[in-house]
Amino acid sequence: MRMMQNALAGALAAQAALNAASQNISNVMTPGYSRQGVVLSAIAPSVGDPHSAGSGVDIQSIRRFNDQYRSLQMWQASANMGESAAKQGYLTQLEQVMSASGSSISGGLDKFYAALGAASVEPSSLALRQGVITEAGAMAQRFNNLNRVLSAQHASINEQRTALVTQVNSLGGSIARLNKEIVAATATGVNPSGLLDERDRKIDQLSGLVDVRVVNQNDGAISVTLRAGQPLVVGDSSSVMSTETQLDGSQLIKLSFAQEKFTLNGGSIGSQLGGLNEYEKNSLKPMEDAIRTLAGEVAGRINGQHAAGFDLTGQPGKALFVFDAQNPEAMLKLRPGIVAEDLAFASDASKPGGSGNLQKLIDIQSQALTVLGLGSVTLSDAYAQLLGRLASESQQNQSSLATGKVVRSQSEQDWKSTSGVNRDEEAMNIIEYQKMYQANMKVIAIANQLFDSTLAAFG
């Protein structure tokens, strides 16, 4: 009887819809879960049955509600936020160290020149001369402390980069495995929604490490590349990313896929890994070079002028500082064994208690020097400008990070509006499909009664 067949098809369709709704509700708190629903279509009447309204309802598929464009937006937002986030910790740490009164090189220079100024009142005073040596040593220590912070940041970036590369390889391998499982599930008619959700979660995690581009394939697999086109995942194959340490301690990032090999630069990576490269190249290395230049200029100019004077015994001045740019622990230090009597403040050997050369040492503070990225600046202004430039970079990056967080949050909300589970909507669906199921079962009961009545009539 057609009536019973239609009702049975309707009851089965309602049951499938209830199963989908219950799956949605059970995963309402599952991160990255895409809601599902049944796609129904009416079955047309059979040929040769002109009096039939139709043959019931057909469950065409279980649909996974997912907007690929909104997923791509979310992944792009994650990459942009990751790039700013990777840099901000290092920028904040360096800014705090450089601006702190106890570690500021500017403060050390001021105290050193204040000691020289105090010594000019009584150049022969051993106590005042010792004060100059003490402040000179303290200034050198400030240079060394900052240099150690810069070196520590290099080491930390290398460690973080290596850890991120390991995560990229792991996620790439997982996505390739999921590609294979999704293709197999699709080919055998199994609903791949759970696998697709897991793959999207892996891509979202990957986008927080490197900036990726995703292209769908006809068989259900995807291809994942870096933004410059280097392949990360193609089908069920994934690339291998690695780091290679150079002689100067820096690292190169390399990518191998099948027989192809790529050397990656910061501009082609993006996200956290790209942010680390950008900070190291555009902020950390220039700052390191500038601080070493500044330390070298301080040592060279003071040593040069000091050698032109005479100490308390009438002997020519010797170097006050020892500078070694390659020594991360003691880039700048006092010459071993120097004592108060060795300071060459006099400009005339016959007047060892004079201050002619001392005044020239003081004048070095206002002399111009060339620092990469700053141009020609005075010794007293160089550090302040370096700190100001760093503060500006940090502020701009903080603004970018704040914007990135807002964009990421908004993209997540946009994704949820299409793919997320709405409790109220699912509750309504359950009520409606329950009514649909009950109505169809009522039709089946009526059809049975009609059938029984028909049999009785012929009995």
Side-chain angles (χ1 to χ4, degrees):
M1 182 181 288
R2 178 63 61 194
M3 180 179 177
M4 183 176 291
Q5 292 177 354
N6 289 351
L8 180 60
L12 292 174
Q15 189 176 51
L18 286 169
N19 287 337
S22 67
Q23 174 72 359
N24 291 339
I25 291 176
S26 67
N27 284 280
V28 67
M29 299 302 294
T30 302
Y33 174 79
S34 299
R35 66 188 178 93
Q36 302 178 64
V38 294
V39 179
L40 304 178
S41 64
I43 301 176
S46 302
V47 177
D49 192 2
H51 302 297
S52 172
S55 300
V57 64
D58 179 47
I59 305 171
Q60 286 195 329
S61 64
I62 302 296
R63 179 186 176 189
R64 175 176 178 260
F65 290 89
N66 184 269
D67 187 334
Q68 184 67 14
Y69 173 72
R70 294 187 178 185
S71 294
L72 293 174
Q73 281 189 316
M74 189 167 62
W75 299 335
Q76 185 62 56
S78 178
N80 293 337
M81 185 178 70
E83 186 166 342
S84 299
K87 295 187 287 185
Q88 192 55 52
Y90 292 103
L91 285 168
T92 299
Q93 180 197 41
L94 190 54
E95 184 182 4
Q96 289 175 345
V97 170
M98 291 184 65
S99 61
S101 59
S103 56
S104 166
I105 289 176
S106 182
L109 284 168
D110 289 343
K111 289 185 176 182
F112 172 66
Y113 279 101
L116 288 175
S120 66
V121 176
E122 189 179 349
S124 60
S125 169
L126 293 181
L128 293 176
R129 285 170 168 261
Q130 186 58 47
V132 171
I133 292 176
T134 299
E135 292 301 336
M139 178 183 67
Q141 190 58 45
R142 291 184 184 225
F143 272 105
N144 295 332
N145 289 342
L146 179 54
N147 193 48
R148 279 193 288 269
V149 170
L150 296 172
S151 297
Q153 284 202 349
H154 271 298
S156 179
I157 287 173
N158 285 347
E159 291 179 4
Q160 189 175 355
R161 183 187 290 118
T162 300
L164 291 176
V165 164
T166 300
Q167 293 179 54
V168 168
N169 290 335
S170 176
L171 289 169
S174 295
I175 293 170
R177 172 183 56 80
L178 288 166
N179 269 345
K180 184 177 181 179
E181 293 177 6
I182 289 168
V183 170
T186 303
T188 55
V190 176
N191 180 8
S193 293
L195 294 172
L196 292 170
D197 285 346
E198 185 180 355
R199 187 176 68 183
D200 281 0
R201 285 194 294 271
K202 296 296 183 183
I203 296 173
D204 189 47
Q205 293 173 28
L206 183 61
S207 68
L209 306 179
V210 292
D211 190 0
V212 296
R213 301 293 182 266
V214 179
V215 178
N216 291 319
Q217 304 300 323
N218 293 332
D219 59 359
I222 58 167
S223 294
V224 183
T225 66
L226 294 174
R227 63 187 179 193
Q230 298 92 339
L232 290 178
V233 179
V234 178
D236 59 359
S237 300
S238 61
S239 63
V240 176
M241 190 178 287
S242 61
T243 59
E244 184 177 292
T245 303
Q246 306 299 294
L247 293 176
D248 62 355
S250 63
Q251 289 181 327
L252 288 179
I253 300 179
K254 297 196 171 183
L255 188 72
S256 299
F257 184 83
Q259 302 302 316
E260 296 182 276
K261 297 184 183 298
F262 307 89
T263 297
L264 306 179
N265 57 61
S268 67
I269 301 175
S271 199
Q272 283 193 55
L273 202 51
L276 290 178
N277 290 348
E278 184 177 335
Y279 172 75
E280 185 177 45
K281 178 182 177 182
N282 298 330
S283 300
L284 181 56
K285 190 64 169 63
M287 180 63 75
E288 195 172 44
D289 291 341
I291 294 300
R292 287 176 179 174
T293 297
L294 193 56
E297 289 287 344
V298 167
R301 293 181 182 225
I302 291 178
N303 285 346
Q305 188 59 55
H306 192 256
F310 299 91
D311 63 20
L312 283 178
T313 64
Q315 297 299 312
K318 297 179 181 179
L320 180 60
F321 294 105
V322 176
F323 174 69
D324 182 2
Q326 304 306 315
N327 188 339
E329 296 298 321
M331 175 180 65
L332 185 65
K333 61 183 180 180
L334 290 176
R335 176 174 60 83
I338 190 169
V339 294
E341 291 85 346
D342 296 335
L343 294 179
F345 288 163
S347 57
D348 187 342
S350 63
K351 299 178 181 179
S355 61
N357 197 50
L358 172 57
Q359 188 57 53
K360 292 180 180 180
L361 287 169
I362 295 174
D363 291 341
I364 291 175
Q365 186 178 20
S366 58
Q367 291 179 2
L369 69 152
T370 300
V371 178
L372 186 64
L374 299 181
S376 180
V377 292
T378 64
L379 190 62
S380 58
D381 289 342
Y383 187 79
Q385 290 192 31
L386 288 173
L387 180 56
R389 186 175 67 181
L390 177 66
S392 177
E393 289 178 12
S394 180
Q395 185 175 13
Q396 290 176 8
N397 193 71
Q398 285 178 357
S399 178
S400 297
L401 179 57
T403 300
K405 289 180 178 179
V406 171
V407 173
R408 169 67 185 190
S409 177
Q410 185 59 53
S411 66
E412 287 179 354
Q413 293 303 315
D414 290 343
W415 178 87
K416 289 178 181 178
S417 68
T418 299
S419 302
V421 177
N422 184 299
R423 293 182 180 87
D424 295 335
E425 181 181 347
E426 296 302 329
M428 289 298 299
N429 286 340
I430 286 178
I431 293 173
E432 293 301 320
Y433 286 122
Q434 181 187 26
K435 291 179 179 179
M436 175 182 172
Y437 181 82
Q438 291 171 341
N440 278 283
M441 294 305 294
K442 184 67 174 178
V443 171
I444 291 174
I446 293 173
N448 280 328
Q449 291 176 6
L450 293 175
F451 184 70
D452 290 343
S453 297
T454 301
L455 288 178
F458 286 98

